[in-house]
Amino acid sequence: MDVYPGVIDGPGDSTKQQERHYYLLSELQTLVKDLPSSFQQRLSYNTLSDLALALIDGTVYEIVQGLLDIQHLTERNLYNQRQKLHCEHQVLKQELARKHKEALQSCKSHNLALLKTNQQGELEALEIRVREEQKMMDKKIVAEMDQKVLDQQNTLEKAGVPGFYITTNPQELTMQMNLLELILKLQHKESQSGSL
């Protein structure tokens, strides 16, 4: 059976667990000093102590890393979708420009004004289509990222991480982002020192 480093399992466990709790709490208290003072004030000793308890066995680190990996994959996928749409739009614009150039070259002079008017209409229609499709894509991206945030909040709340619950309140979201930053910094510090 693999035992996660830092997981307490055997005689003297409560002492080791208490030592680890105090260590994590002390580290969190040090890291909190880097946050803006308005957020420092909202992170009480009890909140930090509860967070330290949640971090004792390392499971929360794994959850946060998994959520981060999923978020990065989602961001990359959405970016690629937007880039694909942009490329498709570029191709449409180039095809229209080529079609217009060919039509101008074969156009009789007495039809030139009418052709240019029609071409201007086609160009404006394409530009409207491009703007609408980009707007729809951007709305889709925002909706998908908003859903990802809700999923992350839900997962962390279910994992018992203090300060996490489903919310769209900007101040609470910022607080949750600060808590995640603390968790990631502490995870990084522990992995550097070999505690994990």
Side-chain angles (χ1 to χ4, degrees):
M1 176 174 117
D2 288 341
V3 176
Y4 197 93
V7 172
I8 317 313
D9 190 23
D13 286 354
S14 64
T15 303
K16 288 179 184 176
Q17 200 165 7
Q18 199 169 29
E19 287 173 6
R20 179 142 172 81
H21 177 252
Y22 288 138
Y23 162 76
L24 291 169
L25 179 57
S26 172
E27 292 298 320
L28 286 169
Q29 287 172 321
T30 301
L31 290 171
V32 162
K33 293 175 184 168
D34 294 336
L35 294 177
S37 61
S38 59
F39 291 105
Q40 288 180 31
Q41 294 167 2
R42 292 193 54 207
L43 290 171
S44 68
Y45 174 87
N46 286 341
T47 301
L48 291 176
S49 180
D50 290 346
L51 182 56
L53 281 171
L55 296 174
I56 282 181
D57 71 355
T59 304
V60 170
Y61 292 145
E62 292 175 9
I63 292 168
V64 168
Q65 192 57 55
L67 292 173
L68 201 55
D69 292 345
I70 291 168
Q71 180 178 328
H72 288 157
L73 285 171
T74 302
E75 289 170 351
R76 198 171 12 256
N77 181 34
L78 292 171
Y79 174 79
N80 288 340
Q81 286 179 35
R82 194 169 197 295
Q83 284 302 103
K84 181 181 176 211
L85 182 66
H86 177 73
C87 289
E88 288 170 3
H89 289 158
Q90 291 302 106
V91 168
L92 288 173
K93 289 176 183 178
Q94 289 168 357
E95 286 175 359
L96 187 62
R98 182 192 46 75
K99 178 183 148 195
H100 285 180
K101 184 178 177 184
E102 287 175 3
L104 283 171
Q105 289 172 345
S106 64
C107 181
K108 305 282 187 233
S109 59
H110 64 278
N111 290 331
L112 195 56
L114 178 62
L115 179 65
K116 284 187 175 182
T117 302
N118 287 342
Q119 287 182 341
Q120 185 61 35
E122 287 178 347
L123 185 60
E124 288 171 6
L126 179 60
E127 287 172 354
I128 289 169
R129 174 185 165 189
V130 164
R131 272 196 307 274
E132 286 302 310
E133 287 179 2
Q134 285 176 334
K135 191 175 175 181
M136 286 171 44
M137 174 62 77
D138 290 344
K139 284 182 178 181
K140 176 189 172 207
I141 289 170
V142 168
E144 204 162 322
M145 291 310 297
D146 285 348
Q147 184 58 51
K148 203 55 61 192
V149 169
L150 295 175
D151 294 346
Q152 291 171 344
Q153 291 171 331
N154 188 37
T155 300
L156 292 167
E157 180 181 25
K158 286 180 179 175
V161 182
F164 285 90
Y165 55 92
I166 293 177
T167 182
T168 56
N169 178 316
Q171 283 183 309
E172 294 304 312
L173 288 169
T174 304
M175 176 58 84
Q176 291 177 351
M177 288 167 51
N178 283 321
L179 287 170
L180 278 174
E181 185 180 335
L182 290 175
I183 292 168
L184 290 169
K185 283 182 177 180
L186 188 53
Q187 178 187 21
H188 180 73
K189 185 173 184 172
E190 286 198 276
S191 67
Q192 297 288 63
S193 69
S195 300
L196 282 181

